[in-house]
């Protein structure tokens, strides 16, 4: 599904200063209620979006790329304490909500996400650098990578290898400035529905997918999990003190040890698509056949008969 969002009418709206105690959103989402009134009608597109370009970028290479727009996937409070120069905050906590059925952590509708990205000066062709810390946000950089792929982002997306901890270890600069977009953009969505599914999809087609539960073993997996799923905690998908994603060989070994064929369809899930989004990102970086991130997770699964 294709969505074209025009943001040209908000360019002159003044931006209030952010105070340390402010609990609102970043600049990217201050004016989304206004933008939602400007959305153009949806037009029908392909069920599968364009090929998603995701690759790692080390700190030294990132420092040479002034063309990249940076998105910080950590919690907003961490972003306020210090972030890469000109990085916008884009945490899952700010772009998810409880839906009408009471299902928590549901991602915003594509049109609202397109407006938020456009307000950051991002369109579907923009070259992006995303980063987190594989810790404070439950792997939110993976959720963000999946989100961009789901929206059908066409430009290259780079993951800062080693996250902000590698950036700091290299002595690279951080600041607390609030970035301003060069220009507000229109982000056109080409929704790649093949990267997500619903609880009813799993009930009807679950046997066709290898289900991987990325939640905690004792407190979440043992009490209840989806039928036929195997357990792989999301923290097994990274390594080292700076929590770098596993490489392709390591990921294949990890999956096969749990009886998962990496070359057959894999569906990752957690409570609400965040931790499983990180596993999905590592899968994507490994160059394996496209996997699914069950964004609704066990929250949607539990609510399927409501």
């Amino acid at each position: 599904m294709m969505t074209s969002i025009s943001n040209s009418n908000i360019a002159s709206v003044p931006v209030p200063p952010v105070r340390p105690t402010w609990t609102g959103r970043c600049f990217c989402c201050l004016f989304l209620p206004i933008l939602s009134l400007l959305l153009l009608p949806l037009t029908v597109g392909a069920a599968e979006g364009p090929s998603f370009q995701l690759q790692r970028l080390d700190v030294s290479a990132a420092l040479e790329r002034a063309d990249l727009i940076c998105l910080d996937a950590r919690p907003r409070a961490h972003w306020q304490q210090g972030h890469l120069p000109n990085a916008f905050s884009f945490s899952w906590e700010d772009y998810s909500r409880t839906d009408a059925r009471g299902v928590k952590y549901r991602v915003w509708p594509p049109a609202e996400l397109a407006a938020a990205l456009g307000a950051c000066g991002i369109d579907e062709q923009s070259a992006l650098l995303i980063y987190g810390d594989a810790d404070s946000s439950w792997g939110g950089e993976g959720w963000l990578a999946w989100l961009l792929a789901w929206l059908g982002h066409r430009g290259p997306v780079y993951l800062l290898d080693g996250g902000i901890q590698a950036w700091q270890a290299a002595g690279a600069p951080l600041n607390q400035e609030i970035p301003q977009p060069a220009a507000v953009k229109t982000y056109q969505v080409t929704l790649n529905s093949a990267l997500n599914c619903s609880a009813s999809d799993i009930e009807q087609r679950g046997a066709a997918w290898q289900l991987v539960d990325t939640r905690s073993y004792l407190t979440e997996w043992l009490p209840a999990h989806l039928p036929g799923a195997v357990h792989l905690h999301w923290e097994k998908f990274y390594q080292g003190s700076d929590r770098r994603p596993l490489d392709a060989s390591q990921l294949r070994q990890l999956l096969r040890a749990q009886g998962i064929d990496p070359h057959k369809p894999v569906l990752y899930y957690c409570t609400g698509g965040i931790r499983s989004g990180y596993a999905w990102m590592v899968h994507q970086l490994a160059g394996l056949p496209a996997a699914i991130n069950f964004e609704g997770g066990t929250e949607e699964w539990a609510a399927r008969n409501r």
Side-chain angles (χ1 to χ4, degrees), residues 40-185:
L40 299 179
L42 304 184
T43 56
V44 177
E48 295 191 11
S51 178
F52 185 56
Q53 306 172 57
L54 177 66
Q55 56 187 298
R56 305 173 193 242
L57 194 68
D58 62 29
V59 172
S60 60
L63 286 167
E64 299 297 322
R65 295 292 303 271
D67 61 308
L68 301 178
I69 301 175
C70 299
L71 294 176
D72 187 324
R74 299 173 302 151
R76 178 175 168 77
H78 291 244
W79 172 83
Q80 286 179 314
Q81 292 168 9
H83 52 77
L84 271 64
N86 298 314
F88 294 93
S89 177
F90 215 95
S91 166
W92 66 267
E93 295 171 298
D94 293 329
Y95 296 97
S96 62
R97 61 169 70 116
T98 300
D99 70 14
R101 292 190 301 159
V103 178
K104 300 176 182 178
Y105 316 119
R106 300 315 305 266
V107 67
W108 282 13
E112 294 182 32
L113 292 168
L117 290 166
C120 294
I122 296 170
D123 63 26
E124 71 282 357
Q125 301 288 352
S126 297
L128 306 177
L129 176 68
I130 63 175
Y131 70 92
D133 57 16
D135 181 20
S136 61
S137 65
W138 292 354
E141 58 268 50
W143 173 88
L144 180 52
W146 169 82
L147 180 78
L148 292 165
W150 179 60
L151 293 176
H153 194 81
R154 296 176 181 272
V157 177
Y158 299 94
L159 174 73
L160 183 63
D161 202 17
I164 194 167
Q165 52 272 31
W167 184 269
Q168 291 176 290
L174 296 175
N175 65 43
Q176 297 176 318
E177 297 176 7
I178 301 171
Q180 302 294 325
V184 175
K185 296 289 187 68

